[in-house]
Amino acid sequence: MAAATAGCALLCRAGEALPGGGYRETFEAEAARASFTLTPHARWVQAEGRGYVLEVANPPSQQQGRKPGTVAVTVPFDLKPYAGKQVVWQADVRQEDVTVPPDRWNGVKCMLCFETPATGKQWQNVACPTGSSDWARRTVAFEVPEGIGDALLNIGLQVSAGTIWVDNLTLTLDPRQRVKHPPPMRDPPPVSAGHDGIERLRGAMIRQAYDPEALKTLAAWNANLIRYQMTRNWDAVGDVNRDKAEFMRWIDGSLATLDKILVDCEKLGIRVCIDLHTPPGGRYEDKSMRMFFEPEYADFFVEVWRHIARRYTGHPMVWAYDLINEPCQNRPSPEGCDNYWALQERAARAIREIDRDTAITVEVDQWDDPGGFHFVRPMNVPGVIVYQAHMYRPHAFTHQGVRGAKERWAYPGVISGRHYDKEALRRELQPVRDFQLAYNVPIYIGEFSAIRWGQGAARYLQDVTEIFEEYGWDWSYHAFREWSGWSLEHSDDEADPHPAATPPDRQKVIRKGFDLNRKAER
């Protein structure tokens, strides 16, 4: 790797302090440029209307079939003043002919790298596409962990050819900071999760299709809940899901499928959570949902839920409206726009004008990760509001082999530099538990899983479901007859594409949970 490290901390010795706590570097000061020791692939150039910018070029490999190398410039970056704070890291980036890298985490880098004993290694990179693009503001938001030590800023191209120009580095405090929750309630009263008469809901997610045999199998396994995914191109970026009329036609088609499913569920005693998996308006290139930044799509999101509520108000088998799957907002909403939490609250209030009784389940930022519960308070909305989390920690274990992830891990054991066992999983879920106890609210684990070929996947599922049961949480496994990687009916052999002749241990664990169920009243 062609890189050199400068000897002074960029944040401390150069750059412009911003009001309210923050930092900006435009490279105009000679001292700022001197902070970097440039490699042969990097240079300072003048850009029209900008002044000095950093150019990094990585030529294609001269050998046929060989991947491009990696070129980078690095400099120490002092993040200690931001320990325990949520920050927004941004850079202006222009790029030309950037090739598609072998793995999605390669490519353009304007990345802050650090490690702590508690959190392990982290790489916080602004999201950039491949190909060519004019100057654009690229962003990532993250929490700087307590106890952070040395950090590095890395600018370059990793296993990707092309040229980039970088300017206007900015680090600011995110207005979305941790909330100080009250201590646990003493002697809290019983709380409704919207399924009174059924102690607990335990089930699985299903794909957007009418599959009566799958429903019969889940019923035979004694599941009493399905989470129905209304999904297409759910994480696609760019000009996708932006045609509102076409999106609503797709919604109606998905609801027509759901109508068939509900007929069967009423016979089988299975409740349904309606999950809007795909965001109206789609996503920007950093995966942020457009509706948190453009009022046109925020208003449309609310109208979509009015449309759904009018159709299903009073339906005996619809347990909950799941407002948006895994919100992602990597920078603050502009003035006049609702952020991920405020927009869900607005949609929930709109639903309550139509349907006062059906539960509504809401999700936190950053893909509904448990850590998101540090940043929210309960919603002030009438009726039952259920707070949902997804459990895929540690992601390196649960998603090994997914989307090109090459490393293999075993559970329990050391995973990405940290030891994981049941108590470690409990710690990962602690933000959700603290929220539950502070406010006496119902919790639903809408998704959790472990890839079927992960060594120790059955043990992982056993440990997390035992925690869910201990805490009184409803749950739905991800996913039933959707993709073979999550299948409870396939073996642990990654190379075997066929259902197993005998139930794998992962299936036995989940069915042990289902055995505790009572069915919904028919």
Side-chain angles (χ1 to χ4, degrees):
M1 179 174 179
T5 302
C8 66
L10 182 63
L11 179 60
C12 292
R13 305 282 181 90
E16 170 194 357
L18 298 177
Y23 152 86
R24 177 186 292 127
E25 181 55 74
T26 60
F27 305 127
E28 290 310 296
E30 184 177 348
R33 298 193 299 277
S35 298
F36 292 83
T37 301
L38 302 186
T39 71
H41 296 282
R43 62 176 182 160
W44 299 109
V45 298
Q46 293 271 356
E48 184 178 355
R50 286 184 172 268
Y52 282 102
V53 302
L54 179 60
E55 176 188 282
V56 182
N58 193 20
S61 173
Q62 299 301 309
Q63 297 184 20
Q64 184 70 25
R66 186 171 181 177
K67 299 174 184 176
T70 294
V71 297
V73 176
T74 63
V75 62
F77 198 103
D78 188 5
L79 284 169
K80 297 184 187 74
Y82 299 93
K85 300 293 186 182
Q86 181 88 355
V87 298
V88 180
W89 170 240
Q90 296 181 299
D92 292 350
V93 181
R94 176 178 165 239
Q95 57 192 66
E96 188 173 287
D97 299 329
V98 173
T99 60
V100 178
D103 293 305
R104 59 190 175 89
W105 52 85
N106 302 144
V108 176
K109 299 293 181 184
C110 187
M111 180 170 68
L112 294 169
C113 315
F114 51 87
E115 181 178 5
T116 72
T119 64
K121 295 179 180 179
Q122 291 193 42
W123 301 269
Q124 299 294 346
N125 190 36
V126 299
C128 293
T130 55
S132 300
S133 68
D134 203 352
W135 288 104
R137 195 76 168 139
R138 307 298 184 184
T139 304
V140 64
F142 64 96
E143 188 174 28
V144 179
E146 297 283 2
I148 188 169
D150 296 335
L152 285 177
L153 167 61
N154 180 306
I155 299 175
L157 291 131
Q158 184 181 24
V159 203
S160 186
T163 305
I164 62 170
W165 295 264
V166 177
D167 189 25
N168 195 21
L169 305 176
T170 307
L171 187 79
T172 55
L173 287 174
D174 195 323
R176 302 165 295 175
Q177 296 296 325
R178 286 197 181 205
V179 170
K180 185 174 177 57
H181 298 310
M185 284 189 181
R186 292 185 177 181
D187 302 319
V191 61
S192 172
H195 49 74
D196 298 341
I198 304 171
E199 179 188 11
R200 196 80 56 79
L201 295 179
R202 306 173 183 89
M205 294 176 64
I206 65 168
R207 60 194 175 96
Q208 184 179 270
Y210 175 55
D211 185 345
E213 293 306 312
L215 296 172
K216 289 177 183 176
T217 299
L218 284 172
W221 288 5
N222 209 42
N224 64 3
L225 173 68
I226 59 171
R227 183 171 179 249
Y228 173 69
Q229 302 177 71
M230 301 173 64
T231 185
R232 64 172 191 181
N233 303 319
W234 79 275
D235 67 343
V237 301
D239 194 20
V240 180
N241 296 311
R242 295 185 66 182
D243 184 327
K244 297 194 293 294
E246 189 277 332
F247 191 93
M248 192 64 90
R249 288 194 295 273
W250 168 70
I251 287 286
D252 283 337
S254 182
L255 297 180
T257 300
L258 176 58
D259 289 342
K260 298 177 185 178
I261 291 170
L262 284 167
V263 171
D264 287 12
C265 284
E266 192 157 9
K267 298 173 184 176
L268 298 169
I270 297 175
R271 292 282 178 94
V272 177
C273 175
I274 304 175
D275 157 33
L276 183 57
H277 217 75
T278 296
R283 301 173 186 267
Y284 298 124
E285 287 168 341
D286 70 348
K287 300 293 187 178
S288 292
M289 294 177 176
R290 194 178 300 273
M291 62 186 180
F292 306 140
F293 302 89
E294 300 183 27
E296 171 187 3
Y297 293 107
D299 294 344
F300 181 55
F301 170 71
V302 174
E303 182 51 42
V304 167
W305 273 110
R306 286 195 180 101
H307 182 74
I308 296 171
R310 281 191 288 265
R311 187 168 181 142
Y312 294 110
T313 182
H315 196 293
M317 305 315 292
V318 174
W319 165 55
Y321 303 125
D322 187 349
L323 298 187
I324 187 64
N325 181 68
E326 297 184 347
C328 183
Q329 182 177 349
N330 288 319
R331 58 189 185 278
S333 297
E335 187 175 352
C337 294
D338 291 323
N339 70 11
Y340 72 96
W341 201 242
L343 183 55
Q344 288 185 86
E345 184 164 351
R346 179 150 71 97
R349 288 184 174 279
I351 289 170
R352 284 291 176 252
E353 294 172 2
I354 300 162
D355 184 341
R356 297 189 304 171
D357 300 321
T358 302
I360 296 171
T361 179
V362 294
E363 304 188 27
V364 295
D365 192 17
Q366 297 304 305
W367 313 92
D368 205 26
D369 180 76
F373 280 81
H374 286 306
F375 299 91
V376 295
R377 291 185 174 88
M379 291 185 179
N380 184 21
V381 177
V384 175
I385 303 295
V386 179
Y387 296 86
Q388 183 175 161
H390 293 177
M391 179 54 176
Y392 292 113
R393 292 188 179 189
H395 196 269
F397 173 76
T398 62
H399 282 65
Q400 57 190 290
V402 179
R403 294 188 176 183
K406 295 180 176 64
E407 290 189 90
R408 294 296 191 261
W409 307 96
Y411 175 87
V414 175
I415 301 168
S416 295
R418 297 177 61 194
H419 181 78
Y420 278 90
D421 55 16
K422 184 176 181 180
E423 291 312 304
L425 299 182
R426 188 187 302 276
R427 288 192 295 272
E428 297 285 17
L429 288 163
Q430 194 62 44
V432 187
R433 179 62 168 166
D434 289 344
F435 188 88
Q436 176 192 18
L437 295 177
Y439 302 107
N440 192 32
V441 293
I443 300 294
Y444 167 46
I445 302 296
E447 294 186 25
F448 69 99
S449 200
I451 204 72
R452 65 182 173 91
W453 48 79
Q455 184 180 341
R459 173 70 179 276
Y460 175 90
L461 295 177
Q462 176 180 315
D463 285 352
V464 292
T465 52
E466 285 178 355
I467 295 170
F468 304 160
E469 292 300 320
E470 178 184 343
Y471 294 162
W473 298 348
D474 297 318
W475 52 262
S476 51
Y477 173 81
H478 179 84
F480 188 71
R481 293 186 185 173
E482 180 215 49
W483 175 54
S484 63
W486 310 118
S487 173
L488 294 171
E489 298 172 301
H490 286 65
S491 76
D492 300 344
D493 182 357
E494 184 175 0
D496 185 357
H498 306 293
T502 58
D505 289 343
R506 290 170 293 104
Q507 182 190 130
K508 294 175 183 176
V509 168
I510 297 301
R511 291 181 65 176
K512 182 179 178 182
F514 292 167
D515 286 344
L516 301 173
N517 281 339
R518 286 182 54 198
K519 288 298 183 69
E521 296 296 329
R522 294 172 174 79

